[in-house]
Amino acid sequence: MKVFWLICSLLTAGAAWAHGEAAHGDKSKPVVMEQKPWGIAAAPDSVMRTIEVTMDDRMRFSPEAIAVRAGEQIRFRVHNTGKIQHEMVLGSREELIAHAKLMQRFPNMEHEEPYMVHVAPGASAEMYWTFNRSGSFEFACLLPGHFEAGMTGSLVVGN
């Protein structure tokens, strides 16, 4: 029963189901501009800087630490050099842990948010984000087993 209410709350909070490859990165859909503790979606034409991020099957990101200034609008160009799918999700440590646990319970859960990008093996994708709040945050791959294997990085937003 607890799982039922969790799923209902996710659906009513605007979550959609999608961890497959079909709908991810579909830039023809309007971006939901929802303020999060770590920022808000950015328009592609407003980016100030591009940060290249590589993911691989060693369950690591490169770079493992990213620093940005408050107010920066960033294009993350994310490359998957591995042979399996990976993702990059921005968030607070607490939110990422909760999402990773949910992914363990529902590995085929599908969803798409502006603070995440799913990248097929050998492919690249982009994510646009405005860091309008200072603080220490993280990024991670939340596919089952990846987060637990240490596929995380630190994200510091300074003044």
Side-chain angles (χ1 to χ4, degrees):
M1 194 56 140
K2 194 184 228 182
V3 172
F4 171 77
W5 291 114
L6 175 63
I7 292 170
C8 288
S9 67
L10 285 171
L11 290 173
T12 58
W17 300 96
H19 253 174
E21 296 178 36
H24 297 300
D26 182 357
K27 301 303 179 207
S28 65
K29 293 181 182 179
V31 174
V32 176
M33 301 296 281
E34 179 184 358
Q35 180 67 54
K36 294 292 187 181
W38 55 93
I40 193 167
D45 59 354
S46 68
V47 298
M48 305 160 81
R49 177 164 65 117
T50 298
I51 297 176
E52 304 280 341
V53 177
T54 302
M55 306 179 289
D56 62 43
D57 294 346
R58 294 177 302 122
M59 303 300 164
R60 295 293 178 260
F61 288 98
S62 180
E64 293 178 356
I66 297 172
V68 300
R69 291 180 306 281
E72 266 195 292
Q73 298 174 342
I74 302 293
R75 171 191 298 115
F76 288 100
R77 188 170 292 133
V78 186
H79 310 280
N80 181 352
T81 61
K83 297 190 182 317
I84 60 175
Q85 182 165 332
H86 293 291
E87 66 182 8
M88 180 178 174
V89 181
L90 307 175
S92 67
R93 178 81 178 151
E94 297 76 24
E95 294 234 2
L96 293 174
I97 289 170
H99 189 155
K101 287 179 181 176
L102 193 59
M103 290 301 302
Q104 285 290 332
R105 295 196 62 194
F106 303 100
N108 296 319
M109 182 174 67
E110 298 185 5
H111 57 281
E112 183 174 357
E113 299 290 344
Y115 52 86
M116 63 177 60
V117 64
H118 312 275
V119 189
S124 297
E126 293 183 344
M127 173 174 42
Y128 307 92
W129 197 253
T130 300
F131 292 95
N132 60 1
R133 301 211 171 147
S134 299
S136 294
F137 306 102
E138 296 186 14
F139 55 94
C141 180
L142 301 179
L143 295 175
H146 296 209
F147 181 79
E148 296 78 10
M151 196 165 182
T152 65
S154 66
L155 176 63
V156 175
V157 182
N159 292 322

